[in-house]
Amino acid sequence: MVKSEVLKNTESSHKNLSYWGEVFYRLRKNKMAMISLYLLVVIIALCVFVPVLSHYSIETTDMQNRDQAPSFEHWLGTDKIGRDLFVRLFYAGRISLGLALAVVTLECVTGVVLGSLSGFYGGFIDIVIMRFADIFMSFPFMMFCITIVAVFGNSVTNLIIVLALLSWPSIARIVRGQILTLREMEYMEACEALGISDFRRIFRHLLPNVLAYVIVYATLGMASVILTETSLSFLGLGVSPPTPTWGNMIQEARNTLIIQQKWWYWIPPGICIFISVMCFNILGDGMRDAIDPKMKR
Amino acid sequence: MKNYIIRRIIQMIPVFIGILFILFFILEQAPGTPVSNMMIPKMTPEQKAELAQKLGLDIPWYERFVNWIGEALHGNLGYSINHKKPVVEVMKDYVGPTLLLSLVSLAISVIIGIPAGVISATKQYSITDNILTVVSFIGISIPSFFFGLLLLKNFAVDVQIFPLFGLKNPLLMSTNPVDKALDVAWHLVLPSIVLGLGSTASFMRYTRSSMLEVIKQDYIRTARAKGLKEKTVIYRHAFRNAVIPIITLLGFWIPSLLSGAVVTETIFALPGLGKISVEATMTRNYPLILGINAMLAVLTLMGALAADILYAIADPRIRYD
């Protein structure tokens, strides 16, 4: 009796929610995912509002106060030419997170458009697009990034294009697979009978059903792009100084003296990368469970 | 099955040529021709043209692409000016440490990751499971270079247990092969942990979700109802089916390990393919870049093929026609 009442209550509390409302309701119950979301909001807020929090700029050098450990004046210390590392850390976050967002947006748009064309039309278009997807998936990832950088130089724009170019095939495959199944459903037959245009059928009737998967993929994609960008910048092949990113700030630590004695150079950016990647991973996982409760572990 | 493999290999050829074509096209866009490094400003235009002709640079790039493929089929990938050796020789010199490092890390991740995943799944929601899940999230999220530097700081700089860099101790005088092997193994401990951590965590996650899916199935309930021991149910009935997708994963994993090796080798200054490819980028050594890319692309495609074949061997239900 009690049990059925509880069941009734939980059901009625989110009964008249929309699809997305219900997804969000389930996500809110996942503590780990919500903590990750809040942490990400904090990190993003710090990156956005860093000019308000500190009066130093990323370029101001101060030779008298160089190489200093964290103090009240400089919250995360200063580097070898006296730049404030707290400010640099969060300006670097702007680049690292902004770049990841740009890459993920670009790859999702490309992947969704090509994947849905491929799944919807099939035949020759499908073969051509999927062959290209095969080619881009078989590129040795890191080596290819390195090659592009060697040829075109390491600018932020180049990096965004390369990373998006190499990662669209996975999202295209997911979208294509979903659309292949959806295409056979009865409501699509109804669309055809009603004479709705192909464009509307793809973008109004098919894609909304795939959107959930794309969002999960995009969240997990943020994590992997941050990791790739920081690794490349660390190797000196991504974004190059003086533009700070979390990756090239850690580059300083390839010096034994800094590893041994000056933790403030490289530990904070490392922790920032680690926390944001982890939060995106946990949030993505939580969203997958929220979207498809049947798949819940 | 045999027909399937042959068909797959035939399908791979256009993909491979496509990869090489794109690479060749991109390297063609590079500023400065390969000759510009070798040219002396005093040379007359005739001498320059002669040099270009000698190097085969006077013909259009697509013709050179066809020539390159022809030569590559004979095992000639060009000449690396910086090393003063053919590209194939250079790659042979450096491929050893990379392969060793990748294989050791792969072994670590299989030996630790898969059992940990099984334990995590059989004790779902227990404390062990929660701890393992957190550890696996940390493993896939920590950037390898940061983890590597942390290990270096703690175990090579602060407490000098492990060597800081390199693959061999230059001061080691012993000619005994066992000593030499131990020395190399000692140098590889930290790099393999760094490279292995991410894949161990991924294998753990894949195994866990795959096991959970299998355990829910009816035949597992039947096996338990028959009164089989829990161990038999898990390891003989469930595990065998759960491991099939993991086996497939192994094939796809090789290229990603080799990518990861680039970063690991740079941190620990190991003389491997990753390190020379970063160097090749800095010195714009295009034949070497092309050679390494081509080799890795072959490995990637072979890995995908191996994954499909292993899948068919592990799961007789899959039929190819």
Side-chain angles (χ1 to χ4, degrees):
Chain A
M1 182 63 202
V2 177
K3 203 178 174 187
S4 76
E5 215 154 12
V6 170
L7 209 69
K8 224 173 163 184
N9 277 338
T10 50
E11 256 176 21
S12 63
S13 65
H14 62 114
K15 204 174 185 180
N16 37 19
L17 285 174
S18 66
Y19 172 70
W20 288 105
E22 220 171 301
V23 166
F24 193 64
Y25 175 84
R26 283 195 291 262
L27 185 65
R28 267 211 318 235
K29 288 204 297 193
N30 184 338
K31 261 187 224 139
M32 291 277 277
M34 287 320 279
I35 294 172
S36 306
L37 186 62
Y38 294 140
L39 270 175
L40 282 174
V41 171
V42 170
I43 292 178
I44 292 168
L46 278 169
C47 291
V48 172
F49 295 112
V50 65
V52 186
L53 294 171
S54 172
H55 61 276
Y56 297 105
S57 86
I58 49 166
E59 282 127 4
T60 333
T61 57
D62 178 2
M63 292 314 260
Q64 260 136 31
N65 290 316
R66 64 202 170 103
D67 235 355
Q68 286 197 342
S71 61
F72 191 70
E73 275 296 294
H74 296 278
W75 294 344
L76 286 174
T78 56
D79 67 1
K80 55 180 185 269
I81 50 174
R83 293 176 297 194
D84 182 74
L85 282 171
F86 176 81
V87 172
R88 281 185 77 74
L89 181 66
F90 289 105
Y91 270 98
R94 285 183 177 189
I95 307 281
S96 288
L97 294 176
L99 186 138
L101 187 66
V103 171
V104 168
T105 313
L106 196 59
E107 77 170 85
C108 281
V109 170
T110 323
V112 165
V113 170
L114 290 178
S116 42
L117 289 180
S118 187
F120 187 78
Y121 289 108
F124 182 67
I125 296 179
D126 183 36
I127 292 174
V128 172
I129 293 178
M130 282 301 118
R131 272 293 157 273
F132 268 100
D134 281 348
I135 290 178
F136 282 103
M137 276 188 118
S138 306
F139 271 117
F141 195 90
M142 209 67 177
M143 252 335 276
F144 188 70
C145 294
I146 292 177
T147 309
I148 296 280
V149 171
V151 174
F152 297 106
N154 44 355
S155 73
V156 175
T157 329
N158 286 348
L159 210 57
I160 292 174
I161 294 172
V162 184
L163 293 181
L165 199 63
L166 285 177
S167 18
W168 69 267
S170 355
I171 186 75
R173 284 188 166 190
I174 296 172
V175 172
R176 173 178 174 270
Q178 288 294 318
I179 288 200
L180 279 179
T181 344
L182 291 171
R183 198 181 59 174
E184 303 304 322
M185 292 178 107
E186 269 172 11
Y187 81 99
M188 284 318 287
E189 224 168 282
C191 282
E192 202 167 348
L194 287 169
I196 294 171
S197 73
D198 282 0
F199 183 84
R200 249 184 103 79
R201 261 150 71 188
I202 295 176
F203 289 97
R204 288 299 301 271
H205 297 277
L206 285 173
L207 276 186
N209 290 312
V210 186
L211 198 62
Y213 295 90
V214 177
I215 291 175
V216 171
Y217 180 86
T219 315
L220 296 172
M222 283 294 288
S224 68
V225 174
I226 295 174
L227 276 183
T228 318
E229 178 269 319
T230 48
S231 307
L232 283 170
S233 300
F234 171 75
L235 291 175
L237 298 166
V239 181
S240 50
T243 311
T245 83
W246 287 337
N248 68 29
M249 285 178 81
I250 298 183
Q251 218 180 349
E252 298 279 349
R254 282 167 71 178
N255 170 331
T256 322
L257 183 74
I258 286 181
I259 290 195
Q260 199 170 9
Q261 291 164 3
K262 298 173 184 167
W263 61 269
W264 64 92
Y265 272 79
W266 59 286
I267 299 275
I271 289 175
C272 279
I273 301 171
F274 174 53
I275 290 180
S276 30
V277 171
M278 180 123 153
C279 289
F280 276 118
N281 274 329
I282 293 176
L283 185 63
D285 237 42
M287 286 208 298
R288 181 168 37 208
D289 291 344
I291 279 162
D292 193 351
K294 273 175 293 177
M295 273 169 62
K296 188 159 170 56
R297 337 169 247 158
Chain B
M1 185 69 199
K2 203 168 137 197
N3 285 339
Y4 173 75
I5 296 176
I6 292 171
R7 210 177 62 222
R8 277 295 316 267
I9 293 176
I10 292 173
Q11 273 178 355
M12 268 161 53
I13 293 172
V15 173
F16 185 55
I17 292 178
I19 294 175
L20 288 180
F21 188 81
I22 292 174
L23 275 171
F24 215 86
F25 177 76
I26 286 170
L27 289 176
E28 205 52 42
Q29 312 302 310
T33 58
V35 223
S36 50
N37 286 335
M38 300 165 68
M39 279 180 180
I40 308 153
K42 275 187 286 183
M43 285 167 105
T44 61
E46 289 81 36
Q47 280 174 318
K48 283 182 186 175
E50 198 190 332
L51 184 59
Q53 196 189 7
K54 212 169 117 195
L55 292 166
L57 289 167
D58 54 338
I59 51 175
W61 68 272
Y62 43 86
E63 271 182 46
R64 263 185 288 136
F65 174 64
V66 176
N67 290 345
W68 188 88
I69 291 203
E71 285 296 310
L73 289 176
H74 292 96
N76 174 14
L77 293 175
Y79 189 80
S80 163
I81 299 166
N82 301 65
H83 297 83
K84 301 197 167 51
K85 268 184 192 172
V87 168
V88 178
E89 294 288 315
V90 179
M91 276 162 51
K92 259 188 210 157
D93 290 347
Y94 288 93
V95 79
T98 306
L99 280 185
L100 191 62
L101 179 63
S102 312
L103 290 178
V104 172
S105 328
L106 187 64
I108 292 178
S109 33
V110 168
I111 293 169
I112 299 176
I114 293 180
V118 173
I119 293 169
S120 193
T122 48
K123 297 184 177 166
Q124 197 185 5
Y125 301 136
S126 69
I127 298 173
T128 325
D129 179 33
N130 286 339
I131 292 174
L132 284 176
T133 306
V134 170
V135 170
S136 70
F137 264 115
I138 294 175
I140 57 168
S141 305
I142 196 161
S144 60
F145 55 95
F146 184 56
F147 183 55
L149 290 171
L150 283 176
L151 286 186
L152 268 184
K153 177 176 169 56
N154 287 313
F155 300 110
V157 177
D158 290 353
V159 185
Q160 291 169 357
I161 309 174
F162 292 103
L164 200 51
F165 58 82
L167 191 61
K168 284 175 195 151
N169 185 352
L171 302 174
L172 186 74
M173 288 303 165
S174 163
T175 46
N176 183 353
V178 177
D179 286 349
K180 276 188 179 170
L182 279 177
D183 183 46
V184 170
W186 197 237
H187 280 78
L188 278 179
V189 174
L190 292 184
S192 355
I193 293 175
V194 170
L195 188 55
L197 180 76
S199 16
T200 309
S202 306
F203 279 136
M204 202 196 293
R205 284 164 58 76
Y206 282 116
T207 312
R208 182 177 183 273
S209 61
S210 173
M211 270 305 271
L212 285 178
E213 213 162 284
V214 172
I215 284 176
K216 268 186 221 150
Q217 284 181 14
D218 289 342
Y219 79 92
I220 296 296
R221 202 192 311 148
T222 314
R224 285 198 177 122
K226 280 196 300 187
L228 291 180
K229 268 187 251 152
E230 187 62 20
K231 262 199 179 139
T232 323
V233 175
I234 299 296
Y235 290 99
R236 302 238 355 220
H237 293 242
F239 182 67
R240 282 190 177 189
N241 271 316
V243 85
I244 293 169
I246 315 294
I247 292 176
T248 329
L249 206 65
L250 284 181
F252 291 111
W253 216 255
I254 294 163
S256 82
L257 274 178
L258 291 172
S259 279
V262 176
V263 178
T264 319
E265 281 168 14
T266 311
I267 301 170
F268 293 97
L270 297 177
L273 281 185
K275 192 167 161 278
I276 51 162
S277 49
V278 174
E279 280 168 17
T281 320
M282 306 289 186
T283 53
R284 297 184 183 270
N285 187 344
Y286 297 128
L288 187 57
I289 294 178
L290 191 59
I292 295 176
N293 265 304
M295 193 193 78
L296 291 183
V298 171
L299 278 178
T300 312
L301 291 170
M302 301 280 269
L305 180 67
D308 280 356
I309 295 174
L310 284 174
Y311 201 69
I313 294 172
D315 190 352
R317 284 172 302 186
I318 313 267
R319 297 196 59 84
Y320 299 98
D321 33 39

